Amino acid sequence: MGSRRPLDALCATFLWGWRWFLPPSPTPDESFHAQRVLMFCLGLSIWVPLSGIGYHKLGVPIAVDILLISAVPLAAIPFLLRYSRRTTLCGNLLAALALTIYTALALVTGGPAAPVAPWFVAVPIIAMFLTGPRWGVVWTLLAMLTVCAFFAAREMAFVFPQPFPASLVHILQWAALIRLGLFIAVLTLLFRAVDLRQRTALKEALSAAQAADRAKSEFLANMSHEIRTPLTAILGYTELLREGTRHPGETLRISHGDALETIHRNGEHLLQVINDILDLSKIEARRLDLEQVYASPRQIVAEVMALFAARASAKDVRLESHFDAELPDAIETDPTRLRQVLANIMGNAVKFTEEGTVHIEARWQGPRTGPATIEFAIRDSGIGMTQQVVGRLFQPFTQADGSTSRRYGGTGLGLAICSRLVQMMGGAIEVASEPEKGSCFTVRLPVDHARSRNADTVAITGDERASPAHATAFCGAEATGLAGCRILLAEDSADNQRLIRHLLHSAGAEVTLAENGQLAVDLALTELDRESAFDLILMDMQMPVLDGYEATSRLRAAGYWQPIVALTAHALRAEHDKCRAAGCDDVCTKPIERAAFFAALRRRLRKRDASSLTSRSGCCDRKPPIRGEVRLPA
């Protein structure tokens, strides 16, 4: 056992060096070619010192010098292979080095009768092995021409140095032939070994690709189910409402309120599926930004529990929470993403628990007002998981098995997004689970700054859009928030026109419609020439005749200074950056979230007023003639 450990260490060191010299991230063909070059480098690095020792014993110092000089370019070729990634070039350099060594040794040890002369036969084999058929033919011709030149020189009475006795020349030539045969045999075995390893690697890659393909196929099937299920409810209940409209005298099988509630609930579920896909895309593209604001961990946990209270109550599952006494009133974090992580884990806990308890605990480790760690542990008494399932739990499009998605639904994206979000926040997620005994998910996050509540110290900030109470209060302020404002709505969809115009009218705004970008440009510039410019333009970015990007660019080029807010169904940051680059002041995504939508409009109008008005305040103050005055709520 003791003698085996050094051998294992030597093998491990050799394999590490072998992998290090391979070019980084090669294709399978490049890897195979590079390994052949390294293989011949290894063979030549063994042949050179052994031949040097032999020539030293035979008393031919000039041959030893030749071999020592050749060791320098031989040692440089593996490094050239790694950093240049040009395997064909390195193969040709090795073939040239071998031919040069054989030629130089032959010149000083007897020309055609030199012991190294049989090795010229190896040059075509080496060239074919290292460079392929095309370059192999070139090196074969060069080797043949070199041998022919030796014989021609001897026929022309050129005398080659002969350091060996005549009786020893034949023995050395036979020894060279034997070594050549051994060299070719070893080279063949190595080639087969590399070929076998390459085939194994290709099989493993094929298996991984097939597994990924199966996972994607399963994901597409689940995604189709997750999208079609809410669409079935939305379209079905919409059809029921349409029937009630067409036949007023008939009694509907379901009330209008229940139908509208079902449509709204399924629409939100459909939007959540799309948001999950977009979140994962943004995370993998490293385009998702995190904010750092003060937020209350107790408030975040309370909001998450409120989200699932009705669902848990319907299943007779108890929701419980516990907070450490040392937990600060506010921590610096991204409350939106933290809430998203906890809500996803809590949702899974409620989903997979038929009876019992779902418990969330917030623990604090460290000083109350300095750098520390906060932990959220969510335990359930649900179906649990095996260790094999836990091992692949955070991979995208993955669920426990096919029956899980059929029974419980879901896309398999939520936990993958949670894992990546927590990693971006500098933390980690741990899972402990046993089948039929439940699971415990622990989210551990570093906290650089925390605060305890006192007078005028902590402004607890959260995602206002996630708070139903706040959204309701905000919508109450909409009625006066845009009263008297003139807004140009550039939107080609008739349905979206009716919806957005209704929302703006409800907030007190005066709305003018434009069905395409060209009409929007014409209307905006006409009103600008009349010195009665629109207070704000809502610009859809995908329209006929002239899209929103070009329309906005033309308006800005014409000196249009009023705010322009983009309307787009693209939720990726790159698209938002494109809107701003075209000249838009802000971006609102579809489907429209009322609180965020009106907040963006009010924000842009306030900024416009702050920068352009000197004596008046209000969204309708502009260059004369002044048609009215509006005071925006603070």
Side-chain angles (χ1 to χ4, degrees):
M1 180 67 70
S3 62
R4 185 174 180 81
R5 289 179 181 174
L7 181 61
D8 291 341
L10 183 63
C11 291
T13 304
F14 174 76
L15 288 175
W16 175 86
W18 184 271
R19 295 191 189 99
W20 189 89
F21 280 112
L22 285 175
S25 303
T27 63
D29 287 341
E30 290 175 344
S31 176
F32 191 41
H33 198 175
Q35 290 187 67
R36 285 186 290 181
V37 173
L38 284 179
M39 198 186 307
F40 186 72
C41 280
L42 178 63
L44 203 58
S45 64
I46 295 173
W47 180 85
V48 166
L50 290 179
S51 298
I53 293 172
Y55 282 113
H56 177 71
K57 293 291 185 182
L58 294 172
V60 189
I62 188 172
V64 177
D65 293 340
I66 292 172
L67 291 169
L68 289 175
I69 294 172
S70 67
V72 176
L74 178 61
I77 288 175
F79 291 94
L80 180 64
L81 174 67
R82 173 177 172 78
Y83 292 110
S84 71
R85 305 184 187 182
R86 302 179 65 177
T87 51
T88 302
L89 172 64
C90 293
N92 280 305
L93 289 176
L94 272 175
L97 181 62
L99 183 59
T100 302
I101 293 172
Y102 301 156
T103 303
L105 291 176
L107 285 173
V108 299
T109 58
V116 77
W119 281 90
F120 280 95
V121 180
V123 173
I125 300 173
I126 294 168
M128 294 287 184
F129 182 72
L130 294 177
T131 62
R134 182 179 301 175
W135 282 102
V137 171
V138 174
W139 290 112
T140 300
L141 292 174
L142 289 175
M144 292 174 60
L145 289 173
T146 304
V147 173
C148 291
F150 283 145
F151 281 104
R154 189 174 67 178
E155 292 297 324
M156 295 172 63
F158 183 83
V159 178
F160 292 95
Q162 184 56 268
F164 311 115
S167 59
L168 191 61
V169 172
H170 292 292
I171 297 174
L172 293 174
Q173 288 178 340
W174 276 105
L177 284 172
I178 294 171
R179 292 201 312 275
L180 178 61
L182 290 174
F183 173 77
I184 294 173
V186 170
L187 200 63
T188 303
L189 291 175
L190 287 174
F191 180 80
R192 292 188 61 183
V194 172
D195 182 61
L196 179 61
R197 182 177 177 182
Q198 191 71 16
R199 289 176 182 274
T200 303
L202 288 174
K203 287 182 180 178
E204 292 175 353
L206 179 62
S207 299
Q210 290 174 341
D213 184 63
R214 285 194 299 271
K216 287 186 178 180
S217 298
E218 209 169 296
F219 161 72
L220 289 174
N222 293 341
M223 191 61 64
S224 175
H225 175 268
E226 289 297 310
I227 292 176
R228 287 176 178 272
T229 298
L231 277 178
T232 300
I234 292 170
L235 295 175
Y237 280 93
T238 303
E239 185 62 29
L240 287 177
L241 293 177
R242 291 178 63 193
E243 288 177 0
T245 303
R246 289 196 298 262
H247 308 287
E250 295 184 4
T251 302
L252 285 179
R253 288 165 287 180
I254 188 170
S255 68
H256 281 75
D258 290 341
L260 292 174
E261 179 62 28
T262 302
I263 292 171
H264 185 264
R265 183 174 62 251
N266 283 275
E268 286 185 335
H269 173 71
L270 188 60
L271 182 61
Q272 183 60 46
V273 171
I274 296 172
N275 286 338
D276 283 346
I277 298 173
L278 293 175
D279 279 348
L280 185 64
S281 299
K282 287 189 282 188
I283 291 170
E284 291 185 343
R286 298 182 179 180
R287 300 300 299 272
L288 185 70
D289 294 329
L290 298 178
E291 63 177 348
Q292 290 294 316
V293 298
Y294 280 101
S296 167
R298 291 180 177 87
Q299 179 182 343
I300 291 174
V301 171
E303 290 172 352
V304 170
M305 293 184 67
L307 286 175
F308 301 100
R311 189 185 307 176
S313 177
K315 300 176 69 176
D316 291 329
V317 174
R318 296 190 310 278
L319 298 183
E320 299 177 352
S321 63
H322 178 265
F323 302 96
D324 273 359
E326 296 297 317
L327 191 68
D329 294 301
I331 60 174
E332 193 177 43
T333 185
D334 187 327
T336 303
R337 297 305 175 183
L338 177 56
R339 187 184 297 108
Q340 180 180 354
V341 170
L342 297 181
N344 194 285
I345 298 175
M346 178 70 80
N348 285 340
V350 173
K351 180 194 297 185
F352 296 114
T353 301
E354 297 299 332
E355 59 181 9
T357 304
V358 175
H359 182 89
I360 180 169
E361 180 180 2
R363 298 190 290 258
W364 185 256
Q365 298 177 352
R368 195 172 185 186
T369 58
T373 300
I374 189 169
E375 290 184 358
F376 297 92
I378 301 176
R379 298 184 182 87
D380 64 69
S381 56
I383 61 176
M385 296 171 286
T386 64
Q387 291 303 311
Q388 182 180 5
V389 172
V390 171
R392 64 173 190 270
L393 196 60
F394 298 110
Q395 298 175 6
F397 321 122
T398 300
Q399 290 186 326
D401 52 42
S403 62
T404 301
S405 60
R406 289 192 296 272
R407 180 178 178 184
Y408 296 100
T411 61
L413 290 175
L415 288 177
I417 294 172
C418 289
S419 175
R420 285 160 171 77
L421 286 175
V422 171
Q423 289 175 8
M424 291 175 65
M425 298 165 75
I429 298 182
E430 296 178 357
V431 185
S433 183
E434 292 185 32
E436 308 303 329
K437 293 185 179 180
S439 306
C440 178
F441 285 76
T442 302
V443 178
R444 186 176 293 108
L445 296 172
V447 178
D448 294 330
H449 301 93
R451 291 179 178 177
S452 297
R453 186 182 300 278
N454 54 53
D456 301 325
T457 299
V458 181
I460 297 178
T461 306
D463 184 2
E464 296 177 344
R465 292 172 297 174
S467 173
H470 180 86
T472 302
F474 185 87
C475 290
E478 292 166 10
T480 58
L482 301 178
C485 292
R486 296 178 64 245
I487 295 177
L488 173 62
L489 172 60
E491 169 66 63
D492 62 310
S493 169
D495 294 333
N496 287 338
Q497 283 180 358
R498 286 195 296 270
L499 173 63
I500 299 172
R501 181 170 57 181
H502 171 75
L503 293 176
L504 294 174
H505 279 167
S506 300
E510 177 187 338
V511 182
T512 301
L513 294 178
E515 297 179 353
N516 58 66
Q518 184 61 58
L519 185 58
V521 172
D522 295 340
L523 284 171
L525 294 180
T526 299
E527 292 298 307
L528 182 65
D529 292 339
R530 294 175 180 174
E531 296 185 340
S532 59
F534 291 103
D535 297 301
L536 182 141
I537 297 178
L538 281 172
M539 184 74 72
D540 181 37
M541 306 313 286
Q542 301 290 335
M543 290 186 292
V545 184
L546 199 66
D547 63 25
Y549 304 103
E550 183 64 25
T552 303
S553 298
R554 291 190 183 183
L555 286 173
R556 295 308 189 200
Y560 193 85
W561 71 86
Q562 298 290 76
I564 301 176
V565 177
L567 283 174
T568 177
H570 295 293
L572 295 179
R573 179 181 172 184
E575 293 295 331
H576 291 194
D577 292 342
K578 183 179 177 183
C579 294
R580 290 186 170 89
C584 295
D585 298 290
D586 213 330
V587 181
C588 291
T589 56
K590 301 175 184 178
I592 290 174
E593 193 174 349
R594 293 179 66 181
F597 175 68
F598 283 109
L601 300 190
R602 287 155 52 96
R603 181 171 61 249
R604 285 301 147 195
L605 289 170
R606 273 200 297 265
K607 288 186 177 180
R608 188 281 313 267
D609 292 341
S611 62
S612 64
L613 300 181
T614 58
S615 60
R616 300 174 183 265
S617 63
C619 71
C620 293
D621 292 331
R622 50 191 172 269
K623 293 185 178 182
I626 297 175
R627 303 193 178 191
E629 179 176 338
V630 176
R631 298 188 182 273
L632 292 175

